[in-house]
Amino acid sequence: MADHAPATYELVEVKSEDIMAERTSFYDGFMKGTTWGVGLTVGILVLMAIFIV
């Protein structure tokens, strides 16, 4: 086996503003998707109630 050079890692400072911005963006998308999902489910149930019953 060939000898490999040890891995080198570059450490970058992580700021709390960057983390919070990313998490806020994810949360906003999650809430928008949840709202659309619930609305779509209610719409399907209403249509089922109209056409099936």
Side-chain angles (χ1 to χ4, degrees):
M1 293 181 91
D3 291 329
H4 295 288
T8 58
Y9 299 100
E10 181 179 339
L11 301 177
V12 179
E13 181 181 357
V14 179
K15 297 182 181 178
S16 63
E17 294 86 16
D18 297 335
I19 295 171
M20 288 306 295
E22 181 181 346
R23 290 182 180 177
T24 302
S25 173
F26 175 79
Y27 180 77
D28 290 341
F30 173 78
M31 290 305 293
K32 185 179 285 189
T34 301
T35 303
W36 277 100
V38 169
L40 184 62
T41 302
V42 169
I44 290 172
L45 289 173
V46 167
L47 288 173
M48 288 173 64
I50 292 172
F51 291 110
I52 293 177
V53 174

